[in-house]
Amino acid sequence: MYDEVKVLNPYHMAVQQFESAAEHLKLSEDMREILRQPKRELTVNFPVRLDNGRIKTFTGYRVHHNVNRGPAKGGIRYSPEVTLDEVKALSMWMTWKCAVVGIPFGGAKGGVICDPKSMSPAELERLTRRYATEISIIIGPHSDIPAPDVNTNSQVMAWIMDTYSMHEGYSVSAVVTGKPLSIGGSEGRNDATATGVLFVTRQAAKHTGMRLQGARVSIQGYGNAGSIAARLFHAEGCKIVAVSDTRGGIYNESGLDPAAVLRFKQERGSVVGFPGSQAVSVQDVLEVPCDILIPAATEGVITRANADRVQARIVAEAANGPTTPEADAILFKKGTLVIPDILANAGGVTVSYFEWVQDLQSFFWNVDEITRKLEVIMNRAYASVAEKAEQYSCDLRLAANMLAISRVAEATQIRGIYP
Ligand code: NAD
């Protein structure tokens, strides 16, 4: 079943979601043609010297979907599974995400086809610096600002910032976000995605009459988004009953200690084998008895093949694109509240926006101020999406897409067509 999921094309999924919202908005065919495809797709093939002296050529992408509301913004992913269609889908979702939370960015995404787990830190640094140089023709603090995503982190952002700055001849901290604090990173950026997931889940729980105290949470993926969500939901009083990574899942109906699981993963490379837990499959984590499910790994994992077996009442999408349109319909029918990715995980890009603003002003805020501002934005976005869903008697994804797409279409319309 998981193989079937793997052949799923995220771009087709993104376009299908777009068409559905465009239909409800009665967007003109001309506007649909503009918005349904990316503005710009850059493919780069570049050589990197490996530690053993050999030279390997890698392929990478950087895609701008739409920049009518502001500079392009989006993460960079390192994975053997990166494809141009995946990057295109993720760039489109970034456009809608920035619009749904009302921050002045357009959508972008980047990726390099590589297996970072089999590369040394020195090889990763050379790959990053060369990829940054190759895409430097379209990135910049006022044109396109990358950030971390799957298998990239603050160190990778530091190398990109340094490479770009070397070419400019002076330090340009605002060219990337998700940087270390010592070079212009923001307080709160590391926890931002998971913090945003918690804020919107609080609203959804209120909406459905669920108490977070004691609620059972299952999380797929134990990286930046997943492991921090585990910590924050645990601190909120939830019971983390299952988590997973690429190697498998673990389950304990009495609850897992997220900090101990993280230490175990850091030491052993996986959550699998955590003492006192029962081993389950990556897929099982989506289907165990729980109240809240947080997919925090990758696209296309909740499909028509397993949506019926999802037991959670709330699905909070920390990952981008985890639910297929067919699965969405099944979940909506059985009354599961899905908080869609473009809303649920928008905390990351929102604090990235704060980081960019702080860098441009060289004036930095404290973590309390950042968390307060983030909460206002996430709660406001949730309320607008929930209101739209009520108005159209539809799920939150369609409502969020309608809200976002209408904002992007308005900006596109009002700017006019050049020349
Ligand atoms: P990460 O690399 O830190 O962690 C990814 C985790 O998912 C790892 O534990 C990995 O083992 C697991 N994983 C990867 N592929 C898997 C698979 N096929 N099955 C099961 N587990 C798998 O990445 P991240 O930054 O936490 O990103 C996770 C998701 O959240 C992605 O969809 C990403 O686009 C999305 N997201 C991240 C951020 C952010 O700020 N980091 C912001 C918004 C959205």
Side-chain angles (χ1 to χ4, degrees):
M1 188 173 61
Y2 209 62
D3 283 349
E4 174 198 314
V5 164
K6 280 284 156 219
V7 298
L8 182 141
N9 183 316
Y11 184 59
H12 295 166
M13 209 170 111
V15 171
Q16 195 176 332
Q17 292 166 347
F18 165 74
E19 295 295 355
S20 165
E23 194 62 39
H24 279 79
L25 288 168
K26 300 188 172 46
L27 271 196
S28 72
E29 186 45 41
D30 292 351
M31 185 58 77
R32 288 187 204 194
E33 236 177 86
I34 297 172
L35 300 183
R36 113 171 21 104
Q37 54 200 342
K39 168 191 175 67
R40 192 178 277 140
E41 300 166 25
L42 176 65
T43 299
V44 292
N45 299 300
F46 56 95
V48 176
R49 194 178 301 281
L50 304 180
D51 291 346
N52 65 9
R54 282 204 49 216
I55 291 166
K56 185 171 160 51
T57 297
F58 291 87
T59 299
Y61 308 102
R62 186 72 186 166
V63 173
H64 293 174
H65 173 255
N66 185 290
V67 294
N68 285 323
R69 297 183 60 263
K73 187 88 190 80
I76 289 172
R77 178 174 287 203
Y78 288 173
S79 159
E81 284 157 25
V82 164
T83 63
L84 179 57
D85 271 0
E86 179 186 55
V87 178
K88 282 163 67 176
L90 290 161
S91 74
M92 185 191 272
W93 287 325
M94 282 307 298
T95 303
W96 312 145
K97 189 180 302 182
C98 295
V100 90
V101 286
I103 58 176
F105 283 137
K109 203 78 182 189
V112 178
I113 306 170
C114 64
D115 181 8
K117 286 180 188 151
S118 70
M119 296 173 72
S120 71
E123 287 171 336
L124 276 176
E125 177 172 356
R126 290 194 290 274
L127 175 134
T128 299
R129 288 186 181 279
R130 181 62 189 250
Y131 170 67
T133 303
E134 296 291 341
I135 64 166
S136 66
I137 54 175
I138 61 170
I139 67 170
H142 299 290
S143 54
D144 173 4
I145 306 111
D149 194 71
V150 174
N151 290 328
T152 57
N153 54 22
S154 59
Q155 175 62 74
V156 172
M157 295 307 115
W159 288 329
I160 296 177
M161 179 267 194
D162 186 68
T163 302
Y164 187 88
S165 300
M166 288 299 130
H167 293 170
E168 292 299 301
Y170 54 91
S171 293
V172 188
S173 57
V175 68
V176 286
T177 58
K179 296 178 297 292
L181 279 176
S182 55
I183 54 168
S186 176
E187 294 283 356
R189 176 60 186 89
N190 208 34
D191 288 9
T193 301
T195 305
V197 173
L198 176 63
F199 288 152
V200 291
T201 306
R202 275 189 194 149
Q203 299 304 314
K206 230 187 269 173
H207 196 80
T208 51
M210 181 193 292
R211 269 170 56 82
L212 285 186
Q213 184 72 34
R216 297 161 305 166
V217 178
S218 179
I219 304 176
Q220 186 189 47
Y222 215 63
N224 179 284
S227 70
I228 299 175
R231 165 161 59 78
L232 299 179
F233 278 75
H234 185 255
E236 187 80 1
C238 298
K239 199 155 71 173
I240 311 302
V241 292
V243 303
S244 70
D245 56 30
T246 30
R247 298 207 201 145
I250 54 172
Y251 176 74
N252 183 338
E253 65 175 345
S254 317
L256 300 156
D257 172 0
V261 174
L262 187 61
R263 273 195 306 276
F264 186 84
K265 182 173 165 67
Q266 281 161 349
E267 281 162 21
R268 311 280 181 97
S270 172
V271 299
V272 176
F274 181 71
S277 72
Q278 177 190 334
V280 292
S281 73
V282 169
Q283 199 60 30
D284 287 342
V285 167
L286 303 167
E287 302 170 14
V288 294
C290 65
D291 303 298
I292 299 166
L293 172 64
I294 306 180
T298 189
E299 304 95 65
V301 294
I302 306 176
T303 66
R304 65 164 185 265
N306 63 359
D308 238 349
R309 295 198 295 275
V310 168
Q311 301 190 44
R313 280 195 288 146
I314 295 175
V315 176
E317 296 185 335
N320 286 305
T323 312
T324 65
E326 293 89 339
D328 259 334
I330 296 168
L331 292 173
F332 185 56
K333 207 160 138 206
K334 68 177 197 168
T336 310
L337 186 67
V338 179
I339 314 173
D341 46 10
I342 63 167
L343 171 62
N345 69 39
V349 76
T350 302
V351 176
S352 271
Y353 166 58
F354 297 162
E355 179 174 334
W356 179 72
V357 169
Q358 292 171 82
D359 288 338
L360 291 177
Q361 299 180 340
S362 290
F363 181 65
F364 291 85
W365 316 339
N366 65 35
V367 71
D368 291 342
E369 191 171 353
I370 282 161
T371 310
R372 244 192 346 265
K373 286 184 157 84
L374 174 63
E375 187 164 17
V376 168
I377 289 180
M378 296 304 293
N379 288 354
R380 190 181 57 202
Y382 186 91
S384 311
V385 171
E387 191 186 314
K388 186 116 343 278
E390 198 144 306
Q391 188 188 341
Y392 285 85
S393 304
C394 66
D395 61 18
L396 295 183
R397 178 160 353 257
L398 179 56
N401 280 332
M402 285 171 71
L403 191 67
I405 291 165
S406 62
R407 286 174 179 169
V408 178
E410 186 188 335
T412 305
Q413 184 77 36
I414 208 149
R415 283 181 61 155
I417 303 302
Y418 176 86

